Amino acid sequence: MKILNIYKNHHYDDRKPQIFTEAETAILDTTAFTIEDYLLGNIKSQTREKLFFVPETYANAVEVDLMDYLLNYLGLGFWDSKLQNAIDRHYNEDGISYRKYMEKKSRQNLKRQAYMQNMLSRVCNNNYIEVFIADCQAFKIKFPNKKDWYTISYIPKHNGKRRKLTIPIQELMELQHKALRILNIDLKIKSHNSAHAYITKRSNVTNAMMHKYSNHIVAYDLKDFFPNTNRTFLRTSLYSTQVFSIIDIVPQELILDISQNTTNANNHQWATVGYKAILLLDAFIDNLLDIALYEDGLPQGSPLSPTLSNIGMRIIDHTIVKTICSNKKLSKTKLIYTRYADDLCFSSLRPIKLDKITAEVEKILHNNNQKYKLNPEKTKYLKPSYKCYVTGVKINEKHELTFGHEKTALLKQSLFKLFLAKKNGQDIKEQAQQILGVHSYAQSIEPNHMKLILDKYCKKFNIVPKTVYKYFLK
């Protein structure tokens, strides 16, 4: 639509002010361009200045409020629906009108402001944070040597090697549980939606379930995940969460004024509250990282390490979803991404370009934490088959989650021996806990099949299925 047509329709209307001279009308007659061209800056500045009398502030700006400019600066007393539609298309590519877009943005700002005010009062009135900071200071005075905070032990791994566990002493364990309560309940810091480890109602089964309908799966493993999650990386990740972003809402000049008691309380009542929240959150982060880290890494064996690892990976998870999952250079269809602790999984209906996606993942890891490296020995390109395991769960050729044929056969043997030993009067309480635990896990993968197996043995040994756990563990 040409802007010439809009203006000429109203130029000879006696009810409107005549704003164009003969020379300017000649320019209108010989110049034709679209509103989009004007807004996007495709018209030369001289032409725009002659045609619209545009001052420098408008001539150099792309996102001007053209509606106010036409009505107020030019004195046009009309408005055209076609012109409105053109501006709407420029301001919002999603097809939402400019006014609706601004109304939506205003509502979002109000919600954010209300959230920040609520968070400020919650932080300032929260005794748990102040008590936690005081307890941490007392603990560090009592145990000045950090080597006394943990005990070291080793457990065997499935590959024959040993896993090092760094277990906190009782006093430190209590402090870490207090920190968990503040993070999860008081501050309500959540993991990224792609994370499936250490989260209520999520597990390695829910992680595998996200990829069950895909035809191509790529699995990565982070090398030494917990030890390489260091203080700098965690601090950056904590400050990036919405809770700790309230630190940025108080200007530095006001913080200086408050610290020197020169702030006008009538004008900046909220600033004092914000300043107190900043002091508390800064002190909380410092003490949290002091009691959570050992040798500049998260210790395996601490109850705080899993939660902090998820918080730390928030930035990486978000970056991967934004930059990789919709990148058609890596796969022709959209990629599905999940993370279970240090296991990163990508899947798609179409083939995935392994070399390119590996390079992208390594780039993102390096930009956020230089210590994070992929373990090339554990990088796998999988397709649903008898050998396709995603975080320990098998995906067969029919795109179904299964416990695995061999594992199911071993579980059947163990259940039969368990029922037989109980019938003969043997004390098998510990063994029963282990076998029934495996059956419960298998039932989370294949609920119907595992229920049929247990019902079969209950019927054979005359036991009511609902009372089987009481029967073995009483």
Side-chain angles (χ1 to χ4, degrees):
M1 179 198 60
K2 307 300 182 183
I3 195 169
L4 167 66
N5 298 332
I6 297 176
Y7 286 168
K8 287 188 71 174
N9 289 340
H10 297 275
H11 178 64
Y12 300 103
D13 192 341
D14 296 335
R15 294 171 297 175
K16 311 298 180 192
Q18 186 171 345
I19 61 171
F20 299 121
T21 64
E22 293 181 0
E24 292 158 359
T25 305
I27 294 175
L28 284 175
D29 292 336
T30 57
T31 306
F33 54 86
T34 63
I35 292 293
E36 290 93 327
D37 288 333
Y38 171 73
L39 290 172
L40 295 175
N42 296 330
I43 308 304
K44 294 181 180 180
S45 59
Q46 291 183 352
T47 305
R48 285 191 294 177
E49 289 172 5
K50 287 180 181 179
L51 180 60
F52 290 116
F53 318 101
V54 182
E56 282 297 316
T57 54
Y58 284 105
N60 296 330
V62 176
E63 292 187 3
V64 315
D65 194 336
L66 189 60
M67 182 178 187
D68 289 340
Y69 173 69
L70 289 174
L71 292 178
N72 300 324
Y73 187 80
L74 291 180
L76 296 178
F78 68 91
W79 190 243
D80 192 280
S81 61
K82 293 182 179 180
L83 185 60
Q84 173 67 56
N85 293 335
I87 295 176
D88 289 345
R89 286 196 301 273
H90 166 70
Y91 273 105
N92 201 333
E93 296 178 355
D94 297 330
I96 304 174
S97 71
Y98 175 59
R99 285 193 179 91
K100 289 183 179 179
Y101 170 75
M102 293 304 294
E103 289 173 1
K104 181 180 178 181
K105 193 172 182 181
S106 177
R107 288 195 299 269
Q108 290 175 347
N109 289 337
L110 289 174
K111 285 183 180 179
R112 179 175 173 79
Q113 185 179 359
Y115 171 82
M116 288 302 179
Q117 291 175 352
N118 181 33
M119 184 55 63
L120 282 172
S121 60
R122 192 192 307 173
V123 170
C124 293
N125 298 327
N126 194 321
N127 295 327
Y128 284 102
I129 296 178
E130 295 183 7
V131 171
F132 170 77
I133 294 170
D135 289 345
C136 287
Q137 297 297 328
F139 175 79
K140 286 186 279 189
I141 293 172
K142 185 178 179 180
F143 299 96
N145 189 356
K146 205 163 187 176
K147 292 183 178 180
D148 299 332
W149 294 10
Y150 295 91
T151 58
I152 309 299
S153 62
Y154 295 88
I155 59 172
K157 297 171 69 175
H158 69 278
N159 58 3
K161 297 180 180 180
R162 297 195 304 169
R163 185 187 301 276
K164 181 182 177 181
L165 292 182
T166 310
I167 303 172
I169 61 176
Q170 184 61 34
E171 292 89 338
L172 182 58
M173 185 83 75
E174 292 175 359
L175 277 178
Q176 291 178 348
H177 281 295
K178 287 181 180 178
L180 272 178
R181 183 200 183 281
I182 294 172
L183 289 172
N184 295 330
I185 299 177
D186 297 325
L187 300 182
K188 296 181 180 179
I189 299 179
K190 297 181 180 180
S191 305
H192 193 269
N193 192 45
S194 60
H196 285 260
Y198 322 123
I199 301 173
T200 306
K201 296 183 180 180
R202 290 195 173 193
S203 65
N204 63 322
V205 180
T206 61
N207 181 79
M209 197 176 295
M210 297 293 294
H211 306 278
K212 64 182 290 188
Y213 296 113
S214 299
N215 296 325
H216 302 268
I217 303 170
V218 175
Y220 296 105
D221 179 82
L222 291 178
K223 196 173 183 179
D224 299 328
F225 177 51
F226 275 19
N228 288 334
T229 307
N230 56 25
R231 188 184 192 95
T232 304
F233 174 64
L234 284 174
R235 177 179 286 277
T236 304
S237 300
L238 282 166
Y239 278 117
S240 70
T241 59
Q242 191 175 16
V243 173
F244 293 99
S245 64
I246 64 174
I247 291 175
D248 298 328
I249 68 174
V250 182
Q252 293 297 321
E253 306 82 44
L254 291 179
I255 293 175
L256 184 63
D257 291 344
I258 295 168
S259 62
Q260 297 174 355
N261 296 322
T262 59
T263 303
N264 186 344
N266 295 327
N267 296 331
H268 304 295
Q269 293 179 355
W270 59 271
T272 306
V273 180
Y275 181 63
K276 182 182 177 182
I278 288 174
L279 294 179
L280 282 174
L281 290 176
D282 272 336
F284 172 73
I285 290 177
D286 288 335
N287 287 278
L288 171 69
L289 297 179
D290 284 342
I291 67 166
L293 298 173
Y294 180 74
E295 296 179 351
D296 199 28
L298 291 175
Q300 296 189 49
S302 166
L304 198 53
S305 295
T307 299
L308 284 179
S309 69
N310 273 344
I311 294 174
M313 288 294 291
R314 278 171 54 102
I315 298 177
I316 293 177
D317 292 335
H318 177 76
T319 308
I320 287 175
V321 170
K322 290 293 183 183
T323 60
I324 293 181
C325 290
S326 299
N327 191 343
K328 291 188 177 181
K329 294 181 180 179
L330 306 177
S331 178
K332 291 185 179 180
T333 57
K334 189 173 182 180
L335 288 164
I336 298 172
Y337 165 72
T338 61
R339 181 181 58 81
Y340 184 79
D342 58 350
D343 294 322
L344 283 63
C345 295
F346 297 87
S347 67
S348 176
L349 294 173
R350 304 291 293 275
I352 301 173
K353 297 179 181 178
L354 183 60
D355 294 339
K356 290 186 177 181
I357 193 173
T358 302
E360 289 292 330
V361 172
E362 287 178 338
K363 180 181 177 182
I364 292 171
L365 293 174
H366 183 268
N367 290 341
N368 288 278
N369 186 354
Q370 295 183 1
K371 287 189 173 183
Y372 280 161
K373 306 288 182 185
L374 293 178
N375 189 348
E377 297 177 358
K378 295 185 178 181
T379 299
K380 300 175 184 178
Y381 193 104
L382 306 168
K383 294 182 181 180
S385 65
Y386 70 98
K387 288 185 178 180
C388 179
Y389 282 88
V390 177
T391 54
V393 180
K394 183 180 178 181
I395 302 177
N396 63 17
E397 295 176 349
K398 298 180 180 179
H399 297 276
E400 297 172 337
L401 299 185
T402 67
F403 187 57
H405 179 73
E406 295 179 358
K407 292 181 180 180
T408 303
L410 289 173
L411 180 59
K412 286 181 179 179
Q413 293 178 11
S414 300
L415 284 171
F416 178 76
K417 292 178 181 179
L418 187 68
F419 276 90
L420 192 61
K422 183 65 175 179
K423 184 178 180 181
N424 295 333
Q426 298 179 18
D427 186 11
I428 52 167
K429 189 173 181 179
E430 292 184 3
Q431 186 181 359
Q433 287 180 338
Q434 182 179 0
I435 295 173
L436 291 175
V438 173
H439 177 270
S440 178
Y441 167 70
Q443 194 168 9
S444 68
I445 301 172
E446 296 182 271
N448 296 330
H449 183 48
M450 291 301 161
K451 184 177 182 298
L452 288 174
I453 292 174
L454 189 63
D455 290 348
K456 173 186 173 182
Y457 290 114
C458 287
K459 184 177 180 180
K460 187 172 184 177
F461 289 91
N462 296 322
I463 300 171
V464 179
K466 291 183 179 180
T467 62
V468 66
Y469 286 91
K470 290 183 180 180
Y471 176 71
F472 283 107
L473 302 178
K474 65 181 178 180

